[in-house]
Amino acid sequence: MSSSPADRSRSPLAQAVRRLLPARTVLAFVALLAVLFALSYTAGALAGPVAPGLHPAGGTGPKDPAPDDDMGGMHGMGAGAPRPVTVGTAAR
């Protein structure tokens, strides 16, 4: 088959560039992702830090952590040992 007159009037460079570029829908999707990322980054920057006192492990946190990593103030959180139940009796 022969090419159409419109195809012959285009330069070979323009045809090569057109073949190498992805489809317009892919470019539009990537542009949409970039815009959404920029908007979410801006919103996060405006909101500020979520937990200002939170520091990464081993980073610039407090130099003297609790020796046994106890979460002080959590009274009554320890689970007691379960009581054994014998077969045939109701649990109280």
Side-chain angles (χ1 to χ4, degrees), residues 22-87:
R24 288 182 183 165
T25 54
V26 173
L27 292 176
F29 179 70
V30 170
L32 177 66
L33 285 179
V35 168
L36 289 177
F37 175 78
L39 288 174
S40 65
Y41 183 83
T42 303
L46 291 174
V50 175
L54 189 63
H55 298 288
T60 59
K63 297 295 181 193
D64 187 24
D68 60 344
D69 293 328
D70 184 22
M71 295 180 65
M74 303 290 287
H75 304 293
M77 294 300 292
R83 295 184 309 195
V85 177
T86 57
V87 178

